[in-house]
Amino acid sequence: DTGVSQDPRHKITKRGQNVTFRCDPISEHNRLYWYRQTLGQGPEFLTYFQNEAQLEKSRLLSDRFSAERPKGSFSTLEIQRTEQGDSAMYLCASSSPLGGNEQFFGPGTRLTVL
Amino acid sequence: GENVEQHPSTLSVQEGDSAVIKCTYSDSASNYFPWYKQELGKRPQLIIDIRSNVGEKKDQRIAVTLNKTAKHFSLHITETQPEDSAVYFCAASYFGNEKLTFGTGTRLTIIP
């Protein structure tokens, strides 16, 4: 499978616990994005990497959220001290300037905070 | 920042008829406008996009039109089929700031 992959697909956690999600982009894509989608809404931008550099973070991304892309390939998104309001689908997308910046999405990680 | 509004929120169309979904954007710097289709429980999939240097683009039964002056763009689906039933999202961005700002989505139902 050469598409964007995400792991895990589902995560159930208790309030206050830390969680980490992983995204593997399409191999030749140097740009990687994280979005959050709640039920009935469109995806909301969280953060964006070009290679290993984190170029932009949304104001939605509180201090409890951190994202990394250490080698410019896969990325991780960590949420510390989870809250019930963090329950959502976390989507990863990747793109390449050679591909006209079209963003291809992964299947998402559905987080449920109890 | 960019704000994208999308209408209608729900749309029911008889099979074989056409469907039109409209979006407006606020940032005149936006120059890339993709449309995504999302089926229940699945990832958003790009179905068509348009850049600001063209006014219309077609791909088989799907077309998108862009009016830069009015800052609105529309998705047109002709000869609708049951498999067109899904939630459709419009989005906007501009080169140099590739984050996508999405609309709130349109749930399209094709009635057999």
Side-chain angles (χ1 to χ4, degrees), chain A residues 6 9-10 37 43 89 91 105-110, chain B residues 36-45 85-87 89:
Chain A
Q6 293 186 244
R9 297 290 306 277
H10 304 273
Q37 185 176 28
M89 176 74 83
L91 292 163
F105 281 82
T109 294
R110 180 167 295 284
Chain B
Y36 285 84
K37 175 183 180 182
Q38 188 173 30
E39 297 178 54
L40 190 62
K42 296 193 175 180
R43 72 187 77 192
Q45 290 196 304
S85 294
V87 179
F89 293 98

Side-chain angles (χ1 to χ4, degrees), chain B residues 59-74:
Chain B
D59 183 3
Q60 299 183 332
R61 297 185 298 108
I62 294 173
V64 57
T65 58
L66 171 65
N67 183 327
K68 283 197 69 181
T69 303
K71 290 193 279 190
H72 66 70
F73 56 113
S74 300

Side-chain angles (χ1 to χ4, degrees), chain B residues 44-64:
Chain B
Q45 290 196 304
L46 180 70
I47 56 171
I48 196 167
D49 57 12
I50 191 167
R51 301 177 195 280
S52 60
N53 57 343
V54 297
E56 184 176 4
K57 182 177 179 181
K58 287 183 180 179
D59 183 3
Q60 299 183 332
R61 297 185 298 108
I62 294 173
V64 57

Side-chain angles (χ1 to χ4, degrees), chain B residues 79-96:
Chain B
E79 301 172 13
T80 53
Q81 301 170 1
E83 53 265 37
D84 295 329
S85 294
V87 179
Y88 291 81
F89 293 98
C90 61
S93 73
Y94 59 89
F95 294 126

Side-chain angles (χ1 to χ4, degrees), chain A residues 1 3-4 9 31 33 35 37 40-45 48 56 91 99-107, chain B residues 1 32 36 38 41-46 49 51 57 89 93 95-105:
Chain A
D1 185 357
V4 179
R9 297 290 306 277
R31 291 175 177 163
Y33 312 79
Y35 293 85
Q37 185 176 28
Q41 299 296 316
E44 293 177 297
F45 171 79
Y48 145 56
E56 186 169 349
L91 292 163
N101 290 321
E102 298 167 4
Q103 294 186 24
F104 296 88
F105 281 82
Chain B
Y32 175 63
Y36 285 84
Q38 188 173 30
K42 296 193 175 180
R43 72 187 77 192
Q45 290 196 304
L46 180 70
D49 57 12
R51 301 177 195 280
K57 182 177 179 181
F89 293 98
S93 73
F95 294 126
N97 189 347
E98 280 76 19
K99 69 181 183 185
L100 293 173
T101 300
F102 284 84
T104 49

Side-chain angles (χ1 to χ4, degrees), chain A residues 23-34 47-56 67-76 92-98 101, chain B residues 98:
Chain A
C23 170
D24 286 88
I26 294 170
S27 59
E28 63 269 25
H29 286 185
N30 67 339
R31 291 175 177 163
L32 187 149
Y33 312 79
W34 285 98
T47 190
Y48 145 56
F49 291 85
Q50 181 163 296
N51 300 313
E52 64 276 9
Q54 188 173 18
L55 297 187
E56 186 169 349
E68 294 183 341
R69 195 183 183 197
K71 297 183 180 178
S73 56
F74 73 91
S75 174
T76 58
C92 175
S94 69
S95 73
S96 166
L98 300 178
N101 290 321
Chain B
E98 280 76 19

